[in-house]
């Protein structure tokens, strides 16, 4: 890891030196940031919530969320590219679901966190 000079000195250099070797690669942290950016859109969150309830096709999602099929498809493509949803085709319909249990857990924990009483 490149160490860049800062404009300050560590208060607890032992702590900094203990943590520094465990710090993930910057590229990995950037990917994590992108993950949260994708999830940071209200429309995509509504889609994820719906898909947490059940596997659904574009038309059903559009009706449920009062959106156009085109808008739903666009957002599903973003979610699929980010590996948050997966699809499977049955006849002419494509059904979407959360990609895996990790997505379910992140969504569930985030929802639980914001629903906590202070």
């Amino acid at each position: 890891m490149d160490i860049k000079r800062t404009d300050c000195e560590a208060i607890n250099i032992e702590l900094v030196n203990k943590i520094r070797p465990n710090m993930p690669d910057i590229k990995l942290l950037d990917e994590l940031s992108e993950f949260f950016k994708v999830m940071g859109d209200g429309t995509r969150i509504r889609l994820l919530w719906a898909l947490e309830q059940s596997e659904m096709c574009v038309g059903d999602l559009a009706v449920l969320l009062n959106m156009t099929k085109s808008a739903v498809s666009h957002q599903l493509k973003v979610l699929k590219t980010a590996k948050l949803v997966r699809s499977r085709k049955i006849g002419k319909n494509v059904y979407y679901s959360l990609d895996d249990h990790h997505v379910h857990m992140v969504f569930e924990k985030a929802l639980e966190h914001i629903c906590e009483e202070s």
Side-chain angles (χ1 to χ4, degrees):
M1 173 188 283
D2 289 338
I3 299 174
K4 295 182 180 180
R5 297 285 176 209
T6 66
D7 62 351
C8 62
E9 292 184 28
I11 302 297
N12 187 340
I13 193 67
E14 292 83 17
L15 179 61
V16 170
N17 289 335
K18 177 183 174 187
I19 293 172
R20 181 176 282 137
N22 299 321
M23 187 153 178
D25 183 73
I26 191 78
K27 190 173 182 176
L28 180 63
L29 292 175
D30 287 345
E31 288 177 23
L32 183 60
S33 174
E34 287 300 315
F35 171 85
F36 282 108
K37 284 180 190 176
V38 169
M39 291 193 76
D41 177 88
T43 299
R44 291 191 286 265
I45 287 295
R46 289 193 307 272
L47 285 165
L48 290 171
W49 180 87
L51 295 174
E52 184 181 31
Q53 307 307 302
S54 178
E55 177 182 67
M56 297 179 78
C57 67
V58 173
D60 289 345
L61 286 163
V63 170
L64 176 67
L65 301 177
N66 196 27
M67 296 172 61
T68 64
K69 285 171 59 173
S70 176
V72 169
S73 292
H74 171 74
Q75 296 300 335
L76 287 170
K77 181 178 179 186
V78 172
L79 291 168
K80 191 171 179 180
T81 299
K83 298 178 183 164
L84 295 174
V85 301
R86 64 179 169 207
S87 63
R88 68 185 183 101
K89 193 168 184 171
I90 301 176
K92 292 183 179 184
N93 291 318
V94 178
Y95 289 85
Y96 291 85
S97 60
L98 297 183
D99 189 69
D100 62 20
H101 74 282
H102 297 109
V103 178
H104 171 78
M105 286 178 13
V106 168
F107 190 82
E108 192 75 16
K109 289 297 178 187
L111 195 55
E112 182 181 310
H113 176 72
I114 63 165
C115 289
E116 282 182 347
E117 293 182 355
S118 298

